[in-house]
Amino acid sequence: MPSDLISRRDFLVKAAWSLAALNFGCSITSLKGDKSKTALIYATKYGATRDTAGWIRNGMSGEVDLLNIEDMSFHRTANGYDSFIVGSGVWIGGIHNRLLEFLTSQTEILDGKILATFIVCGTDGGTESGKKRISGYFDQFHAPLKRMPHMSDYFGGRIIVDQLTEEDREALIKFYRTFLKSELTSWDRTEPDRAGLFGKDAARLLSKVTGKNTFIKTAGSAG
Ligand SMILES: Cc1cc2nc3c(=O)[nH]c(=O)nc-3n(C[C@H](O)[C@H](O)[C@H](O)COP(=O)(O)O)c2cc1C
């Protein structure tokens, strides 16, 4: 694994633990049940985000339900779990509309329960402009939330030209010719190993937050 990935992961893990520590400074209240339920929700068009969610799930131990945003009831899902990990692909500068609808319509119920978010995209985060673009995707993703997730990361995606809809293929051919000065070809930059490590880190954080039958509330919040 390249060293820049290791240092970025270490940084993200440290940031996650610092945030958790900060939150633990707030009041901690017991959950009603014995067991915490976690949903890993993904929003995909061509499958790379579904695969990444599966690798994250494999990196976690314990029960985690893998849910496709297209197939789930918003209200039942938001009410049925104690914590959430949520991920989306990126298409033409935006994350999945239905995922944004879910986060926006269930903001109150989801408040404080979104442990981690991730995006799967084609942007190279190794450049300054790429970093900025990815940060913009996360801004859009997190805009409906009242509190930020403990962990966030992005992963490489995939384009298989033969699988694209005609509309998407034409848009991408134009984008590649105009901005990248190249022809559109298939590529696969998915990251099974790094996604697994993200899952492992999420599981550690989850057990810290909920494993002792506790959940985090900010000081002064109701209930
Ligand atoms: C029509 C289309 C538009 C895309 N636009 C962007 C984009 O604006 N920014 C980006 O970083 N990646 C973009 N990508 C790359 C996707 O994020 C990548 O293919 C990812 O794997 C998509 O997730 P999915 O495979 O789960 O559908 C685009 C891909 C497609 C097919």
Side-chain angles (χ1 to χ4, degrees), residues 44-49 90-93 120-123 137 157-159:
T44 188
K45 195 165 174 186
Y46 293 106
T49 311
V90 173
W91 310 271
I92 327 253
V120 174
C121 63
T123 301
Y137 302 150
R158 181 169 63 216
I159 283 179

Side-chain angles (χ1 to χ4, degrees), residues 1 55 191-198:
M1 185 192 291
W55 296 320
E191 303 178 82
D193 294 345
R194 220 166 59 74
L197 289 174
F198 183 80

Side-chain angles (χ1 to χ4, degrees), residues 42-51 88-94 120-124 133-134 137 155-160 164-165 167-169 171-172 175 187 190:
Y42 63 88
T44 188
K45 195 165 174 186
Y46 293 106
T49 311
R50 180 196 57 228
D51 293 347
S88 179
V90 173
W91 310 271
I92 327 253
V120 174
C121 63
T123 301
D124 172 9
R133 213 166 317 135
I134 287 168
Y137 302 150
F155 299 95
R158 181 169 63 216
I159 283 179
I160 309 293
L164 297 173
T165 62
E167 192 187 0
D168 282 352
R169 192 167 53 240
L172 283 175
F175 174 81
W187 49 264
T190 51

Side-chain angles (χ1 to χ4, degrees), residues 29-42:
T29 311
S30 288
L31 273 176
K32 283 187 214 114
D34 285 339
K35 217 164 164 206
S36 159
K37 279 183 78 185
T38 303
L40 202 169
I41 300 171
Y42 63 88

Side-chain angles (χ1 to χ4, degrees), residues 89-151:
V90 173
W91 310 271
I92 327 253
I95 69 162
H96 203 290
N97 274 341
R98 197 167 147 80
L99 183 61
L100 278 178
E101 274 168 40
F102 173 65
L103 299 176
T104 305
S105 64
Q106 309 298 318
T107 304
E108 296 298 328
I109 302 166
L110 295 174
D111 185 27
K113 294 183 185 171
I114 301 200
L115 181 87
T117 55
F118 64 96
I119 58 172
V120 174
C121 63
T123 301
D124 172 9
T127 65
E128 274 314 305
S129 62
K131 267 190 198 103
K132 249 192 194 159
R133 213 166 317 135
I134 287 168
S135 164
Y137 302 150
F138 275 118
D139 287 347
Q140 191 188 123
F141 197 153
H142 295 160
L145 307 182
K146 294 171 94 176
R147 277 182 270 192
M148 290 304 101
H150 297 286
M151 299 170 59

